[in-house]
Amino acid sequence: MKLNLKIWRQNGPSAPGNFVDYHVDHVSPDMSFLEMLDVLNVSLVNKKETPIEFDHDCREGICGSCSLMINGNAHGPETGTATCQLHMRRFKEGDTIVIEPWRAKAFPVIKDLSTDRTAFDRIMAAGGFVSVNTGNAPEANSILVGHDTAESAMDSAACIGCGACVASCKNSSAMLFVSAKVSHLAQLPQGHPERAKRVRGMVTQMDQEGFGNCSNTGACEAACPKEITLENIAQLNREIVRAVFKD
């Protein structure tokens, strides 16, 4: 396939940016989207031009690094799919593809398509963990967790922290990400001792990072590659109320 690409180029967070047109040939339908960008970068290097900066790591839909807006959609046109899992068979000969980074104040552009998402790390450091020293791994049946509870907690834990929810929200809200992390541990007995402290710390840090309020449009749920549901945001709101009343 031959494709026309409009890619955002920007040298740094304070530098002006603009879209640059590129053309790629010999794109196999079996290539992943990131492999297609690799092909483009090889051609740019061969021309002694600066390659395009973009984030990636596992390329298996696990790490959440592949943060791209593709034709206005976070991670592209497929639902429940990260950018690295998107294949070029989804496009056709001669298509024009617009590629840009996450657009959010809390995710400043590092260069080109790469953004700084350490705001998520700071939110996690504010309470998204269990700090109790439990020693060696306990016997599996020593703390019984109901099947439905375990499944619900695992659904929340599936969040990979890619930031698609933030990029797709008109208010750049991080509520879906934070709610998934809070809901995961709030449902498990190991997370109960720090339950109130956790939600207060993470929500406070989320606000300090400059993320907006939930827009209630559901764009975050639609864009999430792991299909994290809005039920988590409802759970987060209940956890906040519970923490306030506990105080």
Side-chain angles (χ1 to χ4, degrees):
M1 290 190 296
K2 293 183 179 180
L3 297 169
N4 305 309
L5 307 178
K6 289 184 175 292
I7 301 179
W8 184 260
R9 302 302 305 263
Q10 184 174 344
N11 285 328
S14 58
N18 62 283
F19 283 104
V20 178
D21 292 329
Y22 296 97
H23 304 283
V24 288
D25 299 334
H26 310 298
V27 175
S28 167
D30 296 325
M31 284 182 180
S32 72
F33 198 86
L34 297 186
E35 287 173 329
M36 180 273 294
L37 290 179
D38 288 338
V39 169
L40 174 60
N41 273 345
V42 168
S43 68
L44 292 177
V45 170
N46 288 338
K47 296 175 185 176
K48 301 188 183 305
E49 297 180 20
T50 304
I52 297 156
E53 191 86 16
F54 62 94
D55 293 323
H56 64 92
D57 191 3
C58 73
R59 299 201 178 199
E60 295 179 348
I62 297 171
C63 70
S65 297
C66 52
S67 52
L68 297 178
M69 293 293 288
I70 302 169
N71 287 342
N73 297 309
H75 292 298
E78 297 284 0
T79 59
T81 303
T83 299
C84 60
Q85 298 172 301
L86 177 67
H87 286 82
M88 299 312 297
R89 66 178 71 96
R90 187 63 177 76
F91 304 93
K92 59 182 184 294
E93 177 78 21
D95 273 356
T96 296
I97 305 174
V98 180
I99 311 170
E100 54 190 315
W102 286 166
R103 302 291 190 182
K105 181 180 179 181
F107 292 160
V109 172
I110 297 173
K111 186 177 181 182
D112 298 336
L113 304 175
S114 179
T115 56
D116 181 357
R117 287 170 291 159
T118 54
F120 273 7
D121 296 332
R122 290 188 290 272
I123 291 173
M124 290 298 292
F129 52 87
V130 173
S131 63
V132 178
N133 184 1
T134 58
N136 294 331
E139 202 278 327
N141 292 322
S142 62
I143 301 178
L144 298 180
V145 180
H147 175 76
D148 291 343
T149 300
E151 288 296 312
S152 179
M154 287 302 295
D155 288 343
S156 299
C159 171
I160 57 177
C162 65
C165 50
V166 175
S168 60
C169 177
K170 62 183 180 181
N171 289 339
S172 297
S173 172
M175 287 282 281
L176 192 66
F177 165 75
V178 175
S179 67
K181 301 305 181 183
V182 168
S183 297
H184 165 216
L185 294 177
Q187 296 180 74
L188 299 176
Q190 294 89 341
H192 287 181
E194 299 168 299
R195 193 170 177 177
K197 177 183 176 182
R198 175 181 302 110
V199 68
R200 287 196 304 268
M202 295 183 73
V203 169
T204 298
Q205 187 65 39
M206 174 182 70
D207 293 339
Q208 291 176 352
E209 295 293 342
F211 293 103
N213 294 322
C214 177
S215 65
N216 293 314
T217 61
C220 54
E221 181 183 60
C224 179
K226 295 303 176 181
E227 300 180 321
I228 304 297
T229 68
L230 292 176
E231 293 176 3
N232 289 277
I233 296 181
Q235 176 71 27
L236 174 63
N237 290 330
R238 290 193 293 270
E239 291 297 316
I240 294 172
V241 172
R242 180 182 181 278
V244 170
F245 275 98
K246 184 176 180 181
D247 286 342

